[in-house]
Amino acid sequence: MFKSFPTMDFDKILGKCGDFNRYQLLILALFGLVNVMVSMHYFTQTVISFVPDHWCYHEKLENRSYDEIAAIYSKFANPSCTLLLDINGLNATASTEKCSRWIYKYDFGYRSMNTELNWVCDASYKSTIGQSLFFIGSVVGTLLYGLLSDKIGRLPALILSNFSGFVGDFSTIFTEQVTTFTLCRFISGLAADTNFYLMYIIVLEYMRPTMRTLGLNIAVGVFYTLGLVFTPWLAVLTGHWQYYLASTSLPLLLIILFYFVIQESAQWLVTRNDIDGAIKRLKRVAKFNGRHVSQIEFDEFRKYCQKQREKRGGDDQKHSSLIDMFRTPRMRKHTLILFFKSMVITLCYDVVSRNVEGMGISPFVMFSLSALVVLPSSLMLVLLQDRIGRKGMASGSLLVGGFFTVAAGIAIAYQQHNHNAVLLACLTVAARFGVAISYESGSQYATELIPTCVRGQGVAAVHVAGFAASFLAPYILWLGTFFKAAPSLILGVLFFSGSFVCLLLPETLNKALPKTIEEGEIFGKGERMFDFPCLAQKNKKSKDKNSEQEHYSKKKRNHSLTISLECNHETDANRNSYA
C-alpha cells in the first residue's frame, strides 16, 4: 500500500524543507548586513550636507575664538550670511556686498560637501536640489525595480537596485557642479527602499509565519540601529565627505555575491507557474537545512500547484499586474488604505529623522541619539505584534506616534527662543520612537497583505506613495512661519486618520497569506473593525470557561437528581417491605 499525503500546499512543503532552520538564519544574517548598508545609504545625503555654525570671513577675525566671533555677529539678524565692513573690538558694521568666503566651526573636524563647496547662504539651494532629485530617483527606482522583481525575480532586482546605489554614491565623490551632483543623486535614489524591501520580501517568503515578526524585526532593530548609530561617526572617522562616500558605497558591491548564496523566492516562482524552478530551490533549502524530503512529497506539491493553476484558468495569473489590485472592491479598498498609511508614516518619519540641526546640540550626537530608538521599537513589535495582531499594532502605533509627534512639535515651537537642548533631544527621540514603531509594523503588514503574484509591484507602489508624500514635508514645515504649532498639528491629524483607517484592514497574523488576486479579494472577509486576535483569544477562553462551568453545573444537577431518585426508590422499597 502507498502512503497517502495530505494536501501539500506551499507552507506545508516549506515546513518539511525547514521554515526556520539554518537557511533562514543565513538569510536573516544577510538581511542584517543589508540593513547596515541601507541605513548608511539612505541618510548619506543628510550626512554629506551637514552645515556647522559658520560666519562670513573677515581678516580681522582670523585670530579670534569662535565664541568671540559669535558674539560679534550676534547683533545681526542673519549672522551666517552677513559680510562685515569693519570690526572694532566687539562692534562691527555690515557691508551691503554678498559673502563669498566663510569661517566654519567644524563639528569633530568633519568637512561636509556644503562646507567644502561653500554651498551655504544663497547657494544652500544646491544641496536641496540634490535631495529632491534623490527622492525623485527613489520614486522611479521603486516602481522600476518593484516591477522587475515580479517579472525577472526578487534576487536580480535586489542586486540591480544596490548596484544603482553604488554607482550614484561613488560618482557623487567627483562632482563639483550642481548639474552633475543632481544627476548622481538621482541615480543613487534609484536604490532607495528597494535595496531594503526586496530582501525583506525574500526573507518573509521563506520563513514560518509564526517567526516572521521575531526574525524580521530583530534583524531590523539590531542591524539598522547599528548602521544608523555608526553612520555619523564613520563620517567623523573619515573626516571628509568624499572619503565617507567611498566608505559607504563600496560595500554595496558585496550584494552581487548574494546571487551565489540566496535562493530565488520559490513562492514567487509558483505564481509564475515555474513549479520545477520552485521545487529546485526548495530542494536546495532542504539540503542546506539537513532535511530529507521524499520525491513523493514534492510530487504532491506539484499536483497541488497544478490544481490551483487549473482553478485559476491556466496562465491567467502569470499576467497579473498592479492594475488588478484595483479591479475588485475589497482589494481596491485595502490598497488605497495601504497607500494612505504609507504616505502618513513616510512623511512623518522623514521629517522627524532628518530634523537634527538647529537644536543646540551637535547633529552627529542628535542623529545617533534619535537612532537608538529603532532597537526598542523593534523589541516592542516582537513582544506585542504577535499578541495583539498586525491590525492592532499598526493602528495603535500610529495613535501613539500621533501623540508623541504633536507633543514634541508643540514643545519645540514654544521653546524656539530659549533652547533647552536636553528637553528638545528627549522629545525628538520620543517622537522618533513612535514613528519608528509605525514604520516597521507598516512594512510587514503591507508585505503580508499584498498577494504574492503582485507583491513586488504592490509593495513598490505603497512605498512610492510614501515617497510622493515626503515632497510635502517642506511645505508643511513652511506653515510653521504663520503658526508655530501648525506642522505638528497637521502631522497629528494625519497620524490619527491613519490609525483609524488601519482598523478597516483584515488581520494577517498566523494566516496563510494570499498568493493570487482572487485570494486577496476574499482574504479576511467577514472580519469586523475591532476584531483583534488578542480579544478573540480572550473571548474564546471566557467561552471555554463558561462552557466548563455550565458542564460542571449540569453534571452536578444530574448527580443530585440521581441521588434524589435513588433515595425515593429506597423509601418506596422500605414502605413496601413494611407493608
Side-chain angles (χ1 to χ4, degrees), residues 176-191:
E176 293 183 356
Q177 303 299 323
V178 179
T179 305
T180 54
F181 172 71
T182 52
L183 176 62
C184 292
R185 300 320 298 158
F186 174 82
I187 297 173
S188 176
L190 292 173

